[in-house]
Amino acid sequence: MQMDSSRTRARLVSAFEQGHWSMVEHRARQLLPHYPEDAELHYMAGIAFLQHQRMSEALQALSRAAQLDPAQAEYVAHHAKALALLRRLVEACEAADRAMPLAQRDPFLLDMLGVIYMQANAIEPSAQAFRQAVALRPDIARFRFNLGYALTALGDIEGAEAALEACVHREPRYWRAHLSLSMLKRQTPETQHIERLKTLLEAHTNDPGAQTFLHLALGKECEDLTDYDRAFAHYAQGKAAARRTRPASTDRDKNMFDALIRAFPVTNPMPEPDAGPPAAPIFIIGMPRTGTTLLDRIISSHPDVHSVGETQHFAAALQRASGSTVALLSTTDIDAQTRNVDWTRLGEDYMASVHPVTAEPRFTDKMPHNFLYAGFIARALPHARILCLRRNPLDTCLSNFRHLFELESGYYDYSLDLLDTGRYYIQFDRLMAHWHKVLPGRIHEVSYDTLVDNPETVIREALAFCDLPWDDACLHFESNHAPVKTPKAWQVRTPIFKTARGQWKHYESHVHELHELFEREGIATDIPGI
C-alpha cells in the first residue's frame, strides 16, 4: 500500500507540474482518504477544482489546506482567491490579509492578492500588493498594469501614467494598457498618443485585441481633440472587432427582461413599507455611463454615509439563496427559480456581506445593473432606498457604445453595436416602467441632465428620499478623496461640469438610425435645455 501510494503521489505531483488537472483530481481523490491531514494534497486538489470551475469543492479543499498549514503562502492565498471567485469578498480580504506577510518574496502571489483586494474594493491594500510585486519583478508588464489600475482608483494620475507607460514600454502589445492611458485624463495636443497608436494598429491588423483596444483608444483621443467624425469611425471599428468574438445578445437580453417582468406581475404590487431602520442601504442603479458614480460620490460625501463601491454582493447573495446552478438571470423561469427563497434571510446575508466593509450607519451600493434586481432588493430589503439615474437616451447609448466594458461579462454584449445598445435601452426603459408599477414609491429617479443644471435642488430631493438631512459636503463631492473604480476617475474628482450633457450632438450625423429607433418606440430624446 505504501509503495502504491508513493507512486500515485509521484504521478500526482508530475500531473500538477504539467497542468494535467483531470489527472490531478483523480490522483488526489485516490490519496486523500488515506492522508486526510496532508495539506499539500488538499491544495493540489483545490487547484484542480478551480481549473474545472468546481468552486464549492475548490473552496473546501483550499480552506482545509490553509487550515492544516497556515504558514504556506500559496495555500492561504489560493483560499482567498476561491473566496473571491465565490463573491465572499469580506472573507477573501481576511484571508488575503493573512497571506500578505507570507507572500513577501513571491511577486506572483502578491499580484494575485492585489487582484483579490481590488475585487473587494480594498484599493489601498491592492495598490500596496501591486507595488511590492513590481519591486520584486519590474520586468513583468502585467504587474505594472495592475498597479496603474489601482493608482487610477486612488486618484494618483501621475503615478498611474508612469506605471502604464512602463507597462507598454516592456510589452508594447499590452493593448489594454494603451486604452487605459488614453482614458486616464483628457488628452491634449501635447499629451496625446495618436501616432504611437496608429503605428501599432497598422502593424497588427490581424490581431483582434489590437483592433479592439487601439481603435477605442484612438476614438477617445480623437474625441478629446474634437475630431468627432474620426473618433466615431474608430469607436465603430473597435467595437466591430470586439463583436466578432462575442455572441449576438439582443434576443437573449429581451428574454431576460421578459422573464423578470413575468416574475413580478403588475397584479401583485408591493406596498411601500413603514419607516425603516436607520441603517437601510441605498442602492444606486441605472444604465452604465449615466452618472451613477457621480451620484454615488455625492451621496457618500454625506458624513453619515459610506460607499461600498460597485459590488455584486446582492446578485451573489440572491444566486446563493436561489440554489440555482446556472446564472439566475439566464433562466427563462426566474419566478420558479426564486419561489422558495427566504427573503428575510437573503436580506440578512446581503447585509452581513457588506457591513464588515463599513462601520458607517448608512452606505451606498453602486452597481448600475442592479436595476435588474430592483424587485428582489425590494423583497429582501423592504426599507432599502433605490435611486435610479436617468440620462438623455442618445447620450446614454453613445456613452455605452464609446466605452469598452469587460468583454468577458455577458452583461455588456449589447454595447458592441450602437443600435443594439438602443434596443437594450428600450428594454431598460420598459423594465423601469414595470418596477414603478409593482414597487410604487420605492424608486426615486434622478435626472442627470437636471442634476448638472440645478445640483442643489436635485441633491436635496435625493437626500430627503433617503431620509438623510442636508449637508453641504454633498455639494462639494470633489473633496471626497475616497478611492473610486471608474475608467474616468479624474472626472469625479472635479466639480460638476456640463460638457457631457448633450454630447450626442457632436455625433449627430451618426445617430439618425438610433433616433428613429427611439421615435418608433415612443421614447423621448428631446430634453428641455439641451
Side-chain angles (χ1 to χ4, degrees):
M1 179 66 186
Q2 183 64 41
M3 184 175 294
D4 289 343
S5 295
S6 297
R7 279 201 295 268
T8 300
R9 189 183 188 101
R11 291 167 180 161
L12 166 62
V13 172
S14 176
F16 186 86
E17 291 173 348
Q18 296 176 60
H20 296 163
W21 303 116
S22 295
M23 183 60 71
V24 171
E25 181 180 334
H26 175 68
R27 299 297 185 193
R29 288 191 188 278
Q30 286 182 313
L31 288 168
L32 278 170
H34 302 287
Y35 303 98
E37 303 300 304
D38 190 319
E40 187 180 35
L41 284 179
H42 285 284
Y43 169 70
M44 288 190 284
I47 297 300
F49 292 142
L50 277 181
Q51 296 296 324
H52 291 148
Q53 300 293 307
R54 297 165 68 163
M55 301 311 302
S56 296
E57 290 178 284
L59 178 59
Q60 184 178 2
L62 293 167
S63 174
R64 185 63 177 147
Q67 184 182 54
L68 288 167
D69 194 349
Q72 273 289 346
E74 292 92 343
Y75 302 174
V76 183
H78 280 91
H79 178 217
K81 180 178 180 178
L83 286 164
L85 289 170
L86 283 165
R87 312 308 300 172
R88 292 167 60 172
L89 296 175
V90 173
E91 296 167 85
C93 275
E94 292 169 351
D97 288 344
R98 293 192 295 273
M100 276 294 291
L102 304 172
Q104 295 301 300
R105 296 183 180 181
D106 190 326
F108 295 94
L109 284 183
L110 287 166
D111 180 68
M112 186 174 79
L113 292 169
V115 172
I116 291 166
Y117 280 126
M118 183 63 70
Q119 290 171 338
N121 210 41
I123 311 299
E124 289 280 6
S126 175
Q128 183 57 33
F130 293 139
R131 284 191 190 98
Q132 292 178 234
V134 166
L136 290 169
R137 289 294 304 271
D139 58 307
I140 296 182
R142 185 182 79 244
F143 297 171
R144 299 278 189 171
F145 175 81
N146 287 342
L147 176 59
Y149 186 88
L151 293 178
T152 301
L154 290 171
D156 181 0
I157 302 304
E158 289 186 7
E161 186 171 27
L164 292 169
E165 284 289 358
C167 172
V168 299
H169 175 73
R170 283 158 177 79
E171 176 47 87
R173 293 173 299 178
Y174 207 113
W175 309 128
R176 191 181 298 268
H178 290 285
L179 179 56
S180 293
L181 274 166
S182 296
M183 299 289 292
L184 197 56
K185 59 188 177 183
R186 191 182 302 280
Q187 302 298 330
T188 67
E190 294 72 35
T191 65
Q192 50 85 18
H193 316 88
I194 289 176
E195 288 308 313
R196 179 171 75 184
L197 293 168
K198 283 183 176 179
T199 300
L200 286 166
L201 191 63
E202 290 167 3
H204 298 279
T205 55
N206 296 321
D207 186 325
Q211 296 297 304
T212 297
F213 287 98
L214 297 179
H215 272 302
L216 267 292
L218 280 164
K220 162 65 167 58
E221 300 209 3
C222 288
E223 179 178 295
D224 287 346
L225 300 179
T226 70
D227 189 349
Y228 297 110
D229 286 339
R230 188 163 293 157
F232 190 89
H234 282 300
Y235 286 137
Q237 291 176 80
K239 286 301 182 80
R243 194 183 190 197
R244 286 192 286 271
T245 68
R246 300 294 303 171
S249 65
T250 300
D251 290 342
R252 182 192 69 204
D253 289 336
K254 185 178 184 303
N255 290 338
M256 175 184 66
F257 283 100
D258 288 344
L260 281 167
I261 288 173
R262 286 196 302 270
F264 291 86
V266 176
T267 54
N268 189 26
M270 297 184 205
E272 187 173 359
D274 298 330
I282 301 165
F283 288 86
I284 296 176
I285 66 174
M287 282 284 288
R289 317 302 302 158
T290 55
T292 54
T293 302
L294 170 63
L295 185 60
D296 182 58
R297 300 291 282 188
I298 289 170
I299 301 298
S300 64
S301 294
H302 195 286
D304 294 335
V305 181
H306 176 83
S307 173
V308 300
E310 190 167 302
T311 80
Q312 294 183 20
H313 285 309
F314 188 85
L318 178 60
Q319 184 74 30
R320 288 193 297 271
S322 73
S324 177
T325 57
V326 298
L328 180 63
L329 297 191
S330 69
T331 61
T332 56
D333 195 347
I334 294 172
D335 183 42
Q337 292 289 330
T338 57
R339 196 164 293 153
N340 297 319
V341 168
D342 182 331
W343 298 105
T344 300
R345 186 173 179 179
L346 170 58
E348 292 169 351
D349 182 20
Y350 166 79
M351 294 297 286
S353 72
V354 174
H355 266 315
V357 180
T358 173
E360 298 292 344
R362 302 294 301 276
F363 64 88
T364 56
D365 184 330
K366 184 205 82 78
M367 168 55 76
H369 267 97
N370 272 340
F371 72 78
L372 297 168
Y373 294 91
F376 304 111
I377 290 169
R379 281 178 175 167
L381 298 156
H383 297 105
R385 295 291 184 257
I386 304 175
L387 301 174
C388 179
L389 249 292
R390 300 297 295 259
R391 187 181 176 190
N392 178 290
L394 294 173
D395 278 337
T396 296
C397 291
L398 269 169
S399 189
N400 275 254
F401 178 65
R402 286 156 41 228
H403 181 72
L404 187 65
F405 297 99
E406 287 295 328
L407 292 175
E408 296 79 12
S409 172
Y411 270 131
Y412 306 106
D413 285 344
Y414 68 83
S415 68
L416 301 179
D417 177 85
L418 184 57
L419 286 180
D420 281 351
T421 306
R423 295 181 186 102
Y424 190 91
Y425 182 92
I426 290 165
Q427 296 300 325
F428 159 77
D429 187 71
R430 171 186 169 221
L431 181 62
M432 289 311 304
H434 183 75
W435 288 143
H436 282 298
K437 292 175 183 175
V438 298
L439 309 174
R442 297 297 306 277
I443 301 173
H444 176 71
E445 292 203 349
V446 176
S447 164
Y448 172 84
D449 304 283
T450 307
L451 174 62
V452 299
D453 268 350
N454 195 353
E456 182 171 342
T457 297
V458 174
I459 295 169
R460 283 184 180 276
E461 291 173 352
L463 291 176
F465 178 79
C466 296
D467 298 320
L468 288 166
W470 172 258
D471 194 285
D472 284 340
C474 295
L475 266 182
H476 304 288
F477 63 91
E478 68 275 11
S479 301
N480 184 341
H481 298 295
V484 56
K485 290 194 298 183
T486 187
K488 294 185 178 179
W490 58 274
Q491 286 186 339
V492 299
R493 291 188 170 94
T494 61
I496 289 177
F497 54 89
K498 300 182 180 181
T499 55
R501 190 167 174 270
Q503 201 166 42
W504 67 269
K505 290 186 175 181
H506 297 310
Y507 298 97
E508 193 162 7
S509 62
H510 303 283
V511 299
H512 291 308
E513 288 184 87
L514 181 63
H515 195 283
E516 290 171 357
L517 175 66
F518 286 146
E519 278 193 335
R520 288 196 299 272
E521 295 295 330
I523 291 178
T525 56
D526 296 322
I527 295 179
I530 292 183

